[in-house]
């Protein structure tokens, strides 16, 4: 797996320097929903959010419903513009949908009339890659997520877990230096979810992308992340940071280890304090 | 299994057609209708074959068919464009829809003579009538189809930096295609009506003209029926062509 990915990088972008993984720097972010035209009072969603991702770090973001986690992710992806504050990936600011970002949504959002291969190749097609090059690249990604053999299938023929694997392959196809995941496994059953968490850990180790994972699940956050950030209810702020000092690669049976339950308890305590406040 | 069920269906379709002809014959016999009121199926069939072999249909069918095809093409193209604009711009919808609905509510039968007056009794006036009548259902179907495209897919496109033209050709049009083709199905049958009405309002050739000839000057009721059958066949064939196109374009979806 590792080899195929590296070879792919060299073959398709010979002129580019080796990809340097960039971190993310978010400073004093404010954001409100509320149409200015109708004179409606804006509802603040985020108030002074600051966070940073070290290059190659995996950070999980947990918080109560509606605290603005997904909004924060959309801001980092450049899909929304902040009212105040700054976002930078590496040393360049984010000022619109950014090619350095790969985004995975809660629903797979595959095009139902396209095959799996054409869905994974979609970002390459938009970027103007030639057909044979983008198919070759998409096949490598399908191999990476364990979906070789499903190239010709349509999304409706796949299980929920397979669809989300395809969506992850699509997000990685342009080799983003930052991977943003918006509750990617929340619609899946528990067993599939565990498996995909394991696979996500492997993918993250192979690609080395800085990764920000929004999740509802404290075990998921603790299992995957280097650090867990806890957000307050709306307007959202980062109120706590829990480092997870668990060696990698992590295995599912480690979820019973004392350090895991301590970390989970710490995250839960911060969350409950926020909801009660 | 599939083959057997197909054969089973074909059997019923043939049986229904035979029953239709028998019923027709029975009505002629029981009602004792004279041939110029309701000709028996046998004489209509013979007249149909004769009209197709003696050059009558050869003269009139291509005229009507080209009116339908050109009118449908123009009306469908315009309908898809306007339907898209209506779907994406609230302002355009508020500005244009009263006129579009009013134009649709005015009977084509009433507009046809006016169009013949303005554009003559040649091909152009019929093409205009056909495209007018085809325009509305296709514009509405396109509008509904484009609006129904999943907003989440559009956001996904934005995240992957799709240009507006790419969103249109790769997501919006394919997403709206089932609905647009539904509009085509309705439109193509209306185009047939448009062509006949246009020919009644003035024309030298075409199946509408032939109906007038058969009824008014030739007193040839079997020919009238044979012409009606030809018009119906054209409608069925065009509808089937759209259905086939639909199956090829969207049939493989889930």
């Amino acid at each position: 797996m590792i080899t195929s990915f590296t070879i792919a990088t060299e073959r398709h972008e010979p002129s580019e320097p080796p990809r340097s993984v960039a971190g993310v720097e978010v400073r004093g972010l404010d954001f409100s929903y509320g149409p200015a035209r109708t004179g409606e009072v804006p509802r603040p969603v985020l108030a002074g959010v600051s966070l940073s991702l070290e290059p190659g770090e995996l950070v999980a973001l947990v918080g109560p419903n509606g605290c603005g986690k997904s909004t924060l992710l959309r801001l980092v992806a450049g899909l929304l513009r902040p009212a105040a504050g700054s976002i930078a990936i590496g040393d360049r600011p984010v000022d619109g949908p950014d090619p350095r970002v790969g985004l995975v949504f809660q629903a797979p959002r595959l095009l139902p009339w396209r095959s799996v291969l054409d869905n994974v190749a979609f970002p390459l097609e938009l970027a103007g890659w030639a057909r044979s090059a983008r198919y070759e690249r998409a096949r490598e990604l399908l191999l990476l997520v364990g979906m070789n053999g499903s190239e010709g299938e349509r999304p409706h023929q796949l299980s929920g877990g397979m669809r989300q694997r395809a969506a992850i392959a699509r997000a990685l196809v342009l080799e983003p230096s930052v991977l943003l995941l918006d509750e990617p496994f929340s619609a899946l059953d528990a067993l599939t979810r565990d498996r995909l968490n394991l696979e996500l850990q492997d993918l993250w180790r192979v690609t080395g992308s800085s990764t920000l994972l929004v999740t509802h699940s404290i075990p998921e956050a603790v299992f995957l992340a280097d650090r867990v950030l806890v957000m307050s209810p709306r307007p959202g702020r980062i109120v706590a940071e829990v480092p997870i000092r668990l060696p990698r690669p992590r295995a599912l049976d480690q979820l019973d280890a004392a350090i895991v339950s301590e970390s989970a308890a710490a995250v839960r305590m911060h969350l409950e304090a926020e909801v009660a406040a | 299994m599939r083959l057997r069920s197909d054969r089973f269906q074909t059997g019923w379709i043939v049986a229904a057609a035979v029953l239709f002809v028998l019923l027709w014959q029975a009505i002629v016999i029981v009602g004792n209708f004279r041939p110029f009121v309701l000709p028996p199926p046998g004489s209509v069939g013979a007249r149909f074959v004769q009209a197709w072999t003696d050059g009558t249909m050869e003269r009139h069918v291509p005229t009507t068919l080209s009116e339908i095809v050109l009118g449908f093409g123009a009306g469908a193209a315009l309908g898809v464009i306007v339907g898209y604009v209506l779907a994406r711009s609230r302002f355009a919808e508020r500005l244009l829809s009263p006129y579009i609905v009013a134009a649709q509510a005015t009977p084509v039968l009433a507009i046809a003579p006016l169009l013949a007056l303005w554009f003559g009794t040649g091909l152009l006036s019929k093409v205009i009538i056909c495209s007018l009548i085809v325009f509305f259902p296709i514009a509405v179907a396109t509008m509904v189809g484009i609006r129904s495209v999943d907003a989440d897919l559009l956001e996904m496109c934005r995240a992957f930096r799709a240009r507006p033209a790419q969103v249109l050709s790769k997501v919006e049009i394919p997403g709206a295609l089932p609905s647009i083709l539904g509009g085509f199905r309705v439109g193509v049958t209306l185009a047939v009506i448009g062509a006949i009405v246009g020919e009644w309002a003035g024309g030298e050739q075409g199946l509408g003209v032939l109906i007038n000839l058969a009824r008014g000057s030739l007193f040839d009721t079997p020919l009238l029926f044979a012409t009606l059958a030809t018009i119906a066949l054209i409608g069925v064939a065009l509808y089937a062509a759209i259905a086939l196109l639909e199956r090829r374009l969207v049939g493989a979806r889930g």
Side-chain angles (χ1 to χ4, degrees):
Chain A
M1 275 193 185
I2 298 173
T3 354
S4 83
F5 195 86
T6 324
I7 288 170
T9 315
E10 285 166 4
R11 200 184 309 147
H12 290 298
E13 289 160 39
S15 57
E16 299 233 335
R19 187 170 67 109
S20 59
V21 174
V24 178
E25 199 65 44
V26 174
R27 285 277 155 264
L29 215 55
D30 288 348
F31 185 82
S32 309
Y33 281 116
R37 275 187 302 173
T38 58
E40 201 177 305
V41 182
R43 291 171 294 130
V45 179
L46 299 175
V49 171
S50 296
L51 64 89
S52 63
L53 261 72
E54 295 300 314
E57 195 182 19
L58 202 168
V59 171
L61 200 57
V62 297
N65 272 330
C67 72
K69 306 184 290 281
S70 297
T71 304
L72 178 54
L73 219 59
R74 277 172 179 70
L75 284 159
V76 176
L79 290 171
L80 296 173
R81 283 183 182 281
S86 68
I87 306 160
I89 295 173
D91 48 11
R92 292 212 318 276
V94 172
D95 55 1
D98 201 292
R100 295 169 293 172
V101 169
L103 194 50
V104 178
F105 305 91
Q106 187 173 355
R109 302 196 188 182
L110 302 169
L111 299 173
W113 54 85
R114 284 183 172 227
S115 68
V116 167
L117 188 66
D118 274 321
N119 264 295
V120 173
F122 186 61
L124 305 172
E125 190 180 327
L126 295 176
W129 284 44
R131 179 185 292 259
S132 61
R134 64 174 190 253
Y135 280 172
E136 195 179 341
R137 175 86 182 119
R139 282 204 177 85
E140 286 159 5
L141 264 297
L142 284 172
L143 189 69
L144 193 69
V145 298
M147 283 188 69
N148 41 312
S150 301
E151 286 95 343
E153 300 204 50
R154 308 262 167 172
H156 70 95
Q157 295 171 297
L158 303 173
S159 66
M162 281 296 189
R163 275 180 229 160
Q164 208 51 298
R165 282 188 183 92
I168 292 171
R170 180 181 63 190
L172 291 172
V173 79
L174 281 168
E175 287 188 65
S177 47
V178 177
L179 184 62
L180 303 176
L181 303 144
D182 187 6
E183 300 183 34
F185 308 138
S186 58
L188 305 176
D189 64 82
L191 281 175
T192 311
R193 190 171 185 152
D194 282 348
R195 270 203 63 167
L196 280 168
N197 278 334
L198 272 177
E199 290 176 19
L200 182 60
Q201 177 180 238
D202 291 341
L203 279 175
W204 168 73
R205 285 158 57 85
V206 169
T207 60
S209 301
S210 314
T211 301
L212 186 58
L213 168 75
V214 163
T215 177
H216 267 124
S217 156
I218 295 172
E220 184 171 272
V222 170
F223 176 72
L224 283 168
D226 297 315
R227 281 185 293 143
V228 178
L229 303 177
V230 181
M231 278 180 84
S232 68
R234 188 177 283 201
R237 293 166 297 118
I238 309 286
V239 290
E241 177 186 319
V242 179
I244 313 295
R245 297 180 222 285
L246 198 63
R248 294 190 188 268
R250 298 173 185 168
L252 284 174
D253 50 25
Q254 283 176 284
L255 279 174
D256 303 325
I259 187 167
V260 174
S261 35
E262 275 166 30
S263 308
V267 173
R268 185 164 286 124
M269 184 197 77
H270 287 299
L271 257 179
E272 278 166 3
E274 279 310 315
V275 176
Chain B
M1 207 50 205
R2 176 69 210 263
L3 194 76
R4 241 178 81 185
S5 120
D6 273 2
R7 209 175 282 167
F8 174 79
Q9 284 190 4
T10 311
W12 277 107
I13 291 165
V14 170
V18 169
L19 189 71
F20 173 75
V21 171
L22 287 178
L23 211 64
W24 178 359
Q25 183 71 55
I27 289 169
V28 170
I29 293 169
V30 172
N32 196 22
F33 292 110
R34 279 178 293 174
F36 74 83
V37 178
L38 181 63
S43 70
V44 170
R47 194 68 185 89
F48 182 85
V49 173
Q50 193 200 340
W52 274 96
T53 45
D54 70 0
T56 309
M57 289 302 174
E58 215 171 292
R59 183 175 138 78
H60 295 286
V61 168
T63 307
T64 303
L65 205 55
S66 50
E67 289 160 6
I68 294 170
V69 170
L70 290 174
F72 176 80
L78 206 66
V80 168
I81 293 168
V82 171
Y84 181 82
V85 172
L86 292 178
R88 286 294 176 235
S89 161
R90 288 273 162 203
F91 176 68
E93 198 205 345
R94 282 193 198 155
L95 186 73
L96 295 177
S97 55
Y99 298 97
I100 294 171
V101 174
Q104 173 65 17
T106 314
V108 192
L109 210 61
I111 313 174
L114 192 62
L115 291 171
L117 184 71
W118 287 347
F119 301 104
T121 54
L123 183 66
L124 182 62
S125 62
K126 282 90 171 180
V127 169
I128 291 173
I129 292 168
C130 283
S131 36
L132 274 180
I133 201 172
V134 157
F135 170 80
F136 186 77
I138 293 180
V140 170
T142 305
M143 182 179 80
V144 171
I146 293 289
R147 283 209 183 130
S148 73
V149 173
D150 193 348
D152 284 354
L153 290 181
L154 299 178
E155 191 193 39
M156 180 275 289
C157 287
R158 222 156 72 71
F160 289 116
R161 293 161 306 284
R163 293 189 301 275
Q166 290 177 318
V167 177
L168 177 68
S169 68
K170 295 176 197 296
V171 178
E172 288 181 304
I173 295 286
L177 205 55
S179 176
I180 293 174
L181 288 169
F184 277 23
R185 277 182 190 238
V186 177
V188 82
T189 55
L190 290 176
V192 178
I193 296 176
I196 303 303
V197 168
E199 287 165 1
W200 275 351
E204 288 83 44
Q205 272 183 46
L207 294 169
V209 173
L210 189 58
I211 287 181
N212 275 341
L213 279 176
R215 186 193 54 185
S217 37
L218 302 175
F219 297 106
D220 188 346
T221 310
L223 178 61
L224 177 64
F225 272 75
T227 310
L228 287 177
T230 304
I231 293 168
L233 277 178
I234 290 175
V236 170
L238 291 173
Y239 185 86
I242 300 286
L244 192 72
L245 184 74
E246 197 172 340
R247 199 187 305 173
R248 293 202 55 157
L249 289 179
V250 301
R253 291 188 194 177

